[in-house]
């Protein structure tokens, strides 16, 4: 229901156009190219603001976006090697998260959070996994941490 409300909102903001034109404009916004361009710009803006020294909460407030959306942008930046993991997770926590993920053979947030406890946030876990994916040379689409020894451990 929420998605349909957003669609109605988009169509109603198109002004004095006929309903047919509004639907076309709303449909255009959903095209993969258009969505990717907007998402890419939003993502880049979040990276820019975090580098400028704003906190995740400040960025979310300034951009009128959910904290989880900003965290998602930052995790993507970490996974793609465009942002240091330290913006979301301290090194000692990152190392512990990666250790537990390998030990349990999973990158599922729920089991990792349960094992790691209250001292670790979901954002920190996601950031650590993204960092490891980047370090392992995995694409952002695979979304998994190898259970086997890392290449670094073998050297």
């Amino acid at each position: 229901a929420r998605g349909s409300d957003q669609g109605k909102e988009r169509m109603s903001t198109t002004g004095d156009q006929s309903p047919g034109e509004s639907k076309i404009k709303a449909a255009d916004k959903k095209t993969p190219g258009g969505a990717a361009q907007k998402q890419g710009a939003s993502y880049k803006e979040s990276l820019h603001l975090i580098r400028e020294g704003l906190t995740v909460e400040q960025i979310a407030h300034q951009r009128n976006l959910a904290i989880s959306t900003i965290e998602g942008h930052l995790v993507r930046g970490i996974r793609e090697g465009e942002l240091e993991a330290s913006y979301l997770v301290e090194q000692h926590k990152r190392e512990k998260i990666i250790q537990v993920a390998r030990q349990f053979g999973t990158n599922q947030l729920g089991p990792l959070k349960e094992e790691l406890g209250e001292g670790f946030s979901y954002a920190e876990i996601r950031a650590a996994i993204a960092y490891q994916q980047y370090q392992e040379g995995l694409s952002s689409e695979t979304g998994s941490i190898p259970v086997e020894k890392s290449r670094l451990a073998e050297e």
Side-chain angles (χ1 to χ4, degrees):
R2 184 176 175 199
S4 62
D5 290 341
Q6 288 175 343
K8 289 177 188 173
E9 209 173 270
R10 280 191 191 127
M11 285 190 282
S12 68
T13 61
T14 57
D16 57 356
Q17 298 160 342
S18 72
E21 288 177 284
S22 296
K23 287 179 185 174
I24 291 169
K25 289 220 181 247
D28 286 346
K29 291 182 181 180
K30 295 178 185 177
T31 60
Q37 288 173 346
K38 281 189 172 193
Q39 185 179 20
S42 181
Y43 153 76
K44 296 236 183 250
E45 179 66 13
S46 294
L47 295 186
H48 170 75
L49 292 172
I50 199 82
R51 288 182 184 122
E52 291 292 315
L54 275 68
T55 66
V56 171
E57 293 78 10
Q58 289 169 330
I59 296 168
H61 180 74
Q62 179 177 323
R63 301 194 62 218
N64 198 28
L65 294 171
I67 289 172
S68 61
T69 300
I70 304 305
E71 290 171 345
H73 292 165
L74 302 182
V75 166
R76 176 182 166 192
I78 293 166
R79 183 178 296 114
E80 293 180 3
E82 293 186 34
L83 188 69
E84 292 292 321
S86 60
Y87 281 102
L88 277 180
V89 61
E90 297 170 10
Q91 183 177 348
H92 72 279
K93 284 185 161 187
R94 184 182 72 222
E95 290 169 355
K96 178 67 175 174
I97 293 165
I98 292 168
Q99 174 192 0
V100 170
R102 284 194 175 131
Q103 179 183 349
F104 286 87
T106 187
N107 67 345
Q108 293 180 345
L109 297 180
L112 290 175
K113 175 75 166 118
E114 186 176 326
E115 182 62 29
L116 292 162
E118 293 299 315
F120 294 81
S121 71
Y122 284 102
E124 289 171 325
I125 297 167
R126 290 178 66 214
I129 291 169
Y131 173 82
Q132 184 63 21
Q133 290 169 340
Y134 175 71
Q135 291 298 313
E136 293 289 336
L138 296 176
S139 74
S140 61
E141 294 176 63
T142 61
S144 63
I145 293 179
V147 178
E148 302 85 30
K149 292 179 185 175
S150 74
R151 292 182 291 219
L152 296 174
E154 294 173 4
E155 293 178 352

